[in-house]
Amino acid sequence: MFLASKLEAQRYITWDDIKVKSNTIDLTNEKSRKSQGIIVVDQNGNGDSVTVQGAVDMVAVHNSKPVKILIRPGIYREKVFIPASKPFISLIGDEKRARRAIITWNNKASDKDQYGNELGTVNTATVAVESDYFCASGITIENTVIALPQYNDMQAVALRLSGDRAMLYKVRILGSQDTLYDESGSHYFYKCYIRGTVDFICGNARSLFQGCILHSIAEDNIGISGAVAAHQRESPDEDTGFSFVNCKVSGSGSVLLGRAWGEYSRIIYSHCYFDGLITPDGWSDWDLSSRQQHAVFGEYKCSGKGANKQGRVPWAKSFRKAQVQPFLNRKFIGGEQWLRV
């Protein structure tokens, strides 16, 4: 009983989980690395694995201690899968230069698997994480497929998250359509850069995006209706939603702030800065009028040329301070229970 309660008490994420202090460990000493739960990925062969997936495979099933996978600079052309049976894994690069460690692939939904079946959106992810207590910092995750109007099934996920209690810090997530499939769980994105065209943040997670840059690469002349976010909440009983706080929406084309993928979709922007690319209407009911009554879409004290609300859809919410308060900090994701940052 004591051991179980002790393990439970240790299940929170700290700054230490997303950093490797090279001045306190000899990264050339394998024994020293193992003693501190560090696995080094180096594509030149100067580590424990030449691939990121190889490092994940080295982690024990049902591990109960944090494992830091340090990714040395390089372009890692591979798909990475972290199963639910391997919690407490951190992928760590250089938080000052996330471009140095890149995990990249190029699957789209219409691609076929080895048996001739279409992959579908969920299986396109360059990095798929189904485990709890996942962390990442200072890396780039990308899917290089670019959505084009003359092709169907161009969804191409860079990162899919379906585990609970994840934190990403200064991570670059690059793609086009459905770049970040924030599928389920409670997640914290802090100072991340997320790039795409159509619904490039999507899913039914309960996530807080704080101090992030959301960058559109949509183009008005290619016939694609761009949107920053599409949330999939289907019931008022689901405590899910996307909350964007102190973020910046920038880039090209004309984009919506959000689309109602689910009947009770929930997306809130607070204290954000919008460049002029935001369409005047701002929000879409996905051509299902019932979602106008049920979706929780709104903006609170946002600024920039795109924050002009004159042309907004009439069913978007106007929040008062007390109403928006639950979405403004880590309490929205239950962070007091699992974050110590």
Side-chain angles (χ1 to χ4, degrees), residues 15 43 50 71 73 84 146 159 168 175 201 239-240 252 268 287 335:
W15 284 117
Q43 63 183 187
V50 295
I71 305 173
I146 300 295
L159 173 63
L168 290 86
I201 301 172
D239 189 14
T240 62
S252 60
I268 300 101
D287 297 324

Side-chain angles (χ1 to χ4, degrees), residues 1-228:
M1 179 69 77
F2 173 77
L3 178 60
S5 62
K6 185 178 180 181
L7 285 174
E8 184 64 33
Q10 292 175 344
R11 291 185 177 181
Y12 50 80
I13 291 170
T14 70
W15 284 117
D16 184 61
D17 292 314
I18 57 173
K19 297 178 183 292
V20 172
K21 299 176 182 177
S22 56
N23 61 334
T24 62
I25 183 170
D26 183 0
L27 294 177
T28 64
N29 186 314
E30 183 178 357
K31 185 177 180 180
S32 176
R33 294 197 304 270
K34 285 185 177 179
S35 69
Q36 298 197 38
I38 296 174
I39 300 172
V40 175
V41 178
D42 188 317
Q43 63 183 187
N44 297 314
N46 298 315
D48 303 297
S49 174
V50 295
T51 66
V52 180
Q53 185 63 55
V56 172
D57 293 343
M58 294 172 66
V59 178
V61 174
H62 304 305
N63 57 298
S64 59
K65 295 182 179 180
V67 177
K68 300 177 182 179
I69 296 177
L70 177 63
I71 305 173
R72 284 183 165 160
I75 299 176
Y76 296 85
R77 302 185 189 279
E78 58 177 307
K79 292 184 76 167
V80 177
F81 176 66
I82 303 178
S85 59
K86 295 189 177 185
F88 309 112
I89 287 179
S90 298
L91 302 182
I92 301 172
D94 184 342
E95 66 183 54
K96 295 181 180 178
R97 290 169 289 184
R99 291 177 173 82
R100 297 185 71 196
I102 300 171
I103 307 172
T104 181
W105 200 251
N106 60 345
N107 274 148
K108 60 184 181 296
S110 57
D111 287 346
K112 303 289 197 300
D113 64 16
Q114 58 181 324
Y115 305 107
N117 301 312
E118 286 195 357
L119 291 179
T121 304
V122 71
N123 294 314
T124 63
T126 300
V127 176
V129 181
E130 297 184 353
S131 63
D132 297 343
Y133 296 94
F134 169 76
C135 297
S137 67
I139 63 173
T140 295
I141 301 169
E142 70 173 0
N143 189 318
T144 58
V145 172
I146 300 295
L148 298 172
Q150 61 264 42
Y151 300 109
N152 295 319
D153 301 316
M154 295 295 290
Q155 296 90 347
V157 178
L159 173 63
R160 176 171 68 88
L161 283 177
S162 62
D164 196 21
R165 302 186 174 187
M167 175 176 174
L168 290 86
Y169 173 62
K170 290 189 175 180
V171 174
R172 299 170 74 239
I173 309 169
L174 313 180
S176 182
Q177 184 170 353
D178 297 357
T179 302
L180 169 60
Y181 187 10
D182 199 18
E183 188 173 15
S184 60
S186 296
H187 309 141
Y188 181 42
F189 298 84
Y190 183 45
K191 294 187 177 180
C192 292
Y193 177 93
I194 306 166
R195 188 180 77 189
T197 55
V198 181
D199 306 335
F200 58 92
I201 301 172
C202 61
N204 193 27
R206 179 176 63 160
S207 293
L208 174 64
F209 299 79
Q210 193 169 28
C212 295
I213 295 175
L214 318 174
H215 190 79
S216 167
I217 53 171
E219 297 181 29
D220 290 331
N221 62 349
I222 64 173
I224 293 179
S225 176
V228 175

Side-chain angles (χ1 to χ4, degrees), residues 246-316:
N246 293 319
C247 293
K248 179 180 180 180
V249 180
S250 61
S252 60
S254 297
V255 295
L256 295 157
L257 290 169
R259 298 206 296 166
W261 188 9
E263 184 71 17
Y264 288 82
S265 177
R266 185 161 65 174
I267 303 171
I268 300 101
Y269 292 84
S270 307
H271 303 290
C272 292
Y273 178 88
F274 303 146
D275 279 345
L277 72 164
I278 306 301
T279 60
D281 49 346
W283 305 93
S284 167
D285 61 9
W286 212 295
D287 297 324
L288 291 167
S289 58
S290 63
R291 297 183 181 182
Q292 296 181 16
Q293 301 172 22
H294 299 143
V296 181
F297 287 163
E299 305 150 65
Y300 178 75
K301 290 193 174 181
C302 294
S303 61
K305 188 176 180 181
N308 188 333
K309 293 184 181 180
Q310 275 193 321
R312 290 290 190 265
V313 294
W315 46 271

